[in-house]
Amino acid sequence: MLARRLQYIGHNTLKNGNIRSVASLVPGEPKEPNVKTEVPGPETKRLSEELNKITQSGSVQLFGDYDKSIGNYFIDVDGNIFLDTFTQISSVPIGYNHPEMLKVFTDQSKLKALVNRPALGVFPGDYWPGKLKSVLLSVSPNLPNVMTMMCGSCSNENAYKALFITYRKHQRGENIDFTEEEKASCMVNKAPGAPHLSLLSFHGAFHGRTMATLATTHSKAIHKLDVPSLDWPIAHFPQYKYPLEENTRDNKAEDAKCLAEVEDLIVQYERKGVPVAGIVVEPIQSEGGDNEASPEFFQGLQNIAKKYGAGLLIDEVQTGAGATGKMWCHEHFGLETPPDIVTFSKKMLIGGFYHSLDERPQQPYRIFNTWLGDPGKIFLLEAFIKVLREQNLLEQVNKTGERLKSGIFQLEKEFPALLNSTRGRGSFLAVNASTHQLRDDILERLKKKGIISGGCGDHSIRLRPSLTFQEHHADIFLDRFRQVLKETK
Ligand SMILES: Cc1ncc(COP(=O)(O)O)c(C=O)c1O
């Protein structure tokens, strides 16, 4: 069915210089970017001024025309056509206006689930258990339970609570009743009801902007300034030398150093009377600069978590849903057992977390809010997963990723003074510019040439294309990137 709807509009340049048409996975995509106005254009400027009178809108880059945007092409209100390698901060799974997604709410029962948004923890519709099973659990990273939430921050925030609740459950052992003292003291934010416990996170991490997640976020000061926070342990995340193959000894030593620090901190905080109830970590630190760590590092981290009775939470909000060439990035690590908790949002369209039975609170209402997500989003996720399977998009991500990664390596060779440290998995890739200023210039100039791309950390350019980004899109990106670098020389 889907295959028949493919349109032949993309093109690849062959070695002999001829152009070959290739099938685009989203029908109706333009052939290439086309920027007709200055960027931002006059209509984006006008709307930005209007918006800024109402709210702080300094982060707005472009206003989108979401009627016209299609597939991997973002079209702005000035009619400029951009190839989108950043996809709304990594959150568009199969491109704009995918026909299978548009079809979802033509089904009246799904439309009614969207309109009559239930308090899912209290009055779910009859479809809810079935959808959790057939949609969310069908792509679970081997964890039997799932809790839905609205966004990445609130998924982590609530998952942190599950880590604490489980830690205390283990401490109480058989005696599951709360004491009167606990009940009274928690009401005034005091121990023992509100116990002295901590979570260990990593320098460079980003887990969200709510109060507890912000305490574990360490990527940019501007996110944290002026907000009171918690004195919880922060370890160093490995900082590798590139290329990886030429630096295995140093990088292995880096893993060992960071793991030793994790263990030291756990012991220190135990002694301080603030035991570590959990370790929270991204499989690839994304906002913090696309810092990756080896499977051995993650295996070691899991062993330490188990040794000290701390839960292991892997935050797959940005890495999850296929972009690294596997459904979950941590599946690349060969962990002995699944992590205790895996959080998700962004490309999964609905937020939430998978968890082990041990992480399930014994009483209701402990992990809870009014909406607990949105059934409309699970219907969209269902459509996305159907397309993912039918079009074998994980294989596509790996093919596109190879093309992109080898192309960026080539650019790194051609422009060694400008680029270094190409890295990543699948099409979840990054490269460093030699300076912060150069990185920002490259992003701006790429945009003027019709490419939306993103930055992360101080120096990195990150790629977060949709799973329908194909080799011909990669070629367009690489061509424009080369033009920008040539102009920099
Ligand atoms: C790894 C990670 N965790 C959590 C979040 C927070 O998600 P949200 O912005 O939906 O609250 C992000 C957002 O970028 C993220 O990258």
Side-chain angles (χ1 to χ4, degrees), residues 277-298:
I279 298 177
V280 298
V281 66
E282 295 157 271
I284 297 173
Q285 283 192 333
S286 307
E287 298 302 307
D290 271 29
N291 307 314
E292 56 187 3
S294 66
E296 293 74 22
F297 173 79
F298 283 96

Side-chain angles (χ1 to χ4, degrees), residues 166-238:
T166 301
Y167 191 83
R168 288 291 293 133
K169 178 182 74 179
H170 291 167
Q171 285 185 325
R172 281 195 189 92
E174 292 299 300
N175 178 17
I176 59 159
D177 279 344
F178 306 113
T179 63
E180 289 309 314
E181 190 192 6
E182 282 176 326
K183 287 189 218 164
S185 56
C186 78
M187 297 305 284
V188 288
N189 304 346
K190 296 259 171 10
H196 298 299
L197 293 175
S198 62
L199 297 177
L200 182 140
S201 56
F202 289 90
H203 290 287
F206 187 94
H207 297 292
R209 297 159 185 275
T210 49
M211 292 295 280
T213 62
L214 196 61
T216 57
T217 284
H218 317 284
S219 48
K220 274 195 192 136
I222 196 68
H223 299 153
K224 290 173 72 79
L225 282 162
D226 297 338
V227 183
S229 202
L230 296 152
D231 173 18
W232 285 354
I234 312 161
H236 285 88
F237 195 77

